[in-house]
Amino acid sequence: MLVRAAIGSLAVLGLVDLAMDVEPTTLYLLQYSKKGCLASCAFCPQSRLSRAPRELVSRIPWPVVELDAVMSALRSKPGAFKRICFQTVIKPGFEEECSRAVEFLSRLEIPISIATTPVPRHLLEGLRSKGVDRLGVGLDAASPRVFKAVSKPHSWEAYIEFIEEAVAVFGSRRVHVHLIVGLGETGEELLRCMEHLYVLGAEVALFAFTPVKGTPLEDRPQPPLAYYRAAQVARYALSRGLDPREYVEPFKGLLRVRRGVSLEEFKEAFLTSGCPGCNRPFYNERPGLTYNYPSKSLLEREWDKVLSQVGYQ
Ligand code: SF4
């Protein structure tokens, strides 16, 4: 079976030569489709609207490899990854192919996440029974308005129903809903969406919008760091059962961290959010601009910078 693999993951396995400041702690795989994904998401290089090279996801190259080759390399490097993340694309038969991939991958006895668009409940149950312990859902947009504007497949309601069903199958806090900050949502929309997702029993994994040349959103700027930091603080508060509105407030249509909040207590908010072991180094980042910190040591080194980005320190 052919798949795409994030170049950093291949480097950890010794399958490509690449120097990295921080290594990925998850093996990131993407379902292969020659024509890319049949969906039309305006931000994604895999979408059928995109003129960007199919090798890209966000800004990172994902070369095509045999799943067998990846698995053999992984067998000779036990402990290289804490988790495997297999992301689907929409193409004929993608659900069955995903199930087959999970059958192979589960032999490695490493926790597996599947990131997918809505699929029928029996498929979720099948994945769960084959050993998948976490589900990622690319809702991406923080409101029905933005969902429509960026041409997500299915409907907002279908995604929300799917998230509810996924929580029922995988359990509370085991469904990680991907939200992209900076797609044109207001701060209030983002906050409300996150609050709702936590009420449903889901978790949120935050991504920063990253423009990719050749996609319809190639000219949209990345979100301001102060807004992103506030989104991280709000998400972290929600994941700890706290009221995010005590820590962040609306500001110029976006969000900012409230004056006086002790950021030392929120340090972990700035680490990459998602399934355990998922650090996604350099998905949204470029040198000198880090949205999600992929390691505690990098966050420690850049802590003063983070404080200055929040704005009040
Ligand atoms: S949070 Fe990370 S490991 Fe989990 S589904 Fe999303 S990308 Fe995959």
Side-chain angles (χ1 to χ4, degrees):
M1 183 189 295
L2 286 178
V3 294
R4 290 188 180 278
I7 195 148
S9 301
L10 293 177
V12 170
L13 292 174
L15 295 175
V16 297
D17 206 7
L18 179 77
M20 292 179 287
D21 287 347
V22 182
E23 293 190 341
T25 46
T26 287
L27 167 64
Y28 297 101
L29 300 174
L30 173 71
Q31 207 162 21
Y32 172 68
S33 164
K34 199 172 175 192
K35 293 186 179 151
C37 181
L38 289 176
S40 313
C41 304
F43 51 83
C44 182
Q46 293 295 319
S47 114
R48 65 192 175 86
L49 295 185
S50 161
R51 289 173 286 105
R54 284 280 175 260
E55 204 166 272
L56 296 181
V57 175
S58 197
R59 281 206 188 106
I60 301 180
W62 293 56
V64 180
V65 283
E66 281 285 350
L67 183 59
D68 249 1
V70 174
M71 288 180 60
S72 314
L74 196 47
R75 279 199 191 93
S76 62
K77 279 207 158 190
F81 295 109
K82 295 179 181 160
R83 173 166 297 276
I84 298 170
C85 175
F86 185 89
Q87 307 182 30
T88 63
V89 296
I90 299 181
K91 64 173 183 176
F94 80 92
E95 301 96 330
E96 290 71 24
E97 191 188 70
C98 171
S99 296
R100 271 198 298 131
V102 167
E103 268 164 38
F104 297 136
L105 291 168
S106 59
R107 294 177 198 153
L108 295 166
E109 298 190 350
I110 300 173
I112 302 174
S113 299
I114 297 294
T116 184
T117 46
V119 294
R121 183 175 178 133
H122 72 270
L123 280 169
L124 288 184
E125 288 167 345
L127 294 173
R128 181 88 183 97
S129 69
K130 287 184 181 118
V132 173
D133 72 331
R134 305 266 171 164
L135 197 81
V137 182
L139 177 62
D140 301 323
S143 74
R145 179 183 65 81
V146 177
F147 186 93
K148 212 167 156 200
V150 299
S151 309
K152 288 287 301 175
H154 308 290
S155 66
W156 173 268
E157 291 74 21
Y159 266 88
I160 298 297
E161 253 176 57
F162 178 62
I163 291 163
E164 287 174 315
E165 214 157 60
V167 171
V169 173
F170 284 88
S172 178
R173 307 280 176 252
R174 287 173 170 269
V175 175
H176 298 259
V177 180
H178 297 182
L179 286 183
I180 302 178
V181 176
L183 281 180
E185 74 288 345
T186 64
E188 182 56 33
E189 282 175 328
L190 179 63
L191 209 46
R192 257 197 239 150
C193 179
M194 287 201 284
E195 286 169 332
H196 185 51
L197 292 170
Y198 277 91
V199 168
L200 295 183
E203 272 283 342
V204 169
L206 287 178
F207 292 69
F209 169 68
T210 303
V212 179
K213 209 166 166 34
T215 60
L217 295 187
E218 64 183 7
D219 293 327
R220 172 177 282 281
Q222 286 198 276
L225 269 168
Y227 171 40
Y228 198 76
R229 298 287 174 240
Q232 287 174 305
V233 165
R235 189 214 65 83
Y236 185 77
L238 282 161
S239 74
R240 299 280 168 295
L242 304 170
D243 178 359
R245 293 174 192 268
E246 286 185 18
Y247 306 97
V248 304
E249 62 187 0
F251 181 65
K252 295 188 179 168
L254 303 177
L255 297 171
R256 70 176 172 188
V257 176
R258 285 185 187 273
R259 196 179 286 273
V261 169
S262 158
L263 287 175
E264 284 292 332
E265 286 169 33
F266 279 87
K267 220 173 210 178
E268 297 211 339
F270 307 110
L271 295 170
T272 304
S273 49
C275 303
C278 171
N279 68 342
R280 306 191 294 275
F282 313 112
Y283 250 60
N284 306 137
E285 285 65 33
R286 52 194 148 93
L289 182 68
T290 302
Y291 284 94
N292 294 318
Y293 277 90
S295 73
K296 283 187 179 171
S297 57
L298 184 61
L299 176 60
E300 285 299 340
R301 281 208 302 278
E302 298 199 356
W303 184 237
D304 288 345
K305 203 163 152 183
V306 173
L307 292 178
S308 69
Q309 289 158 352
V310 169
Y312 294 127
Q313 321 293 319

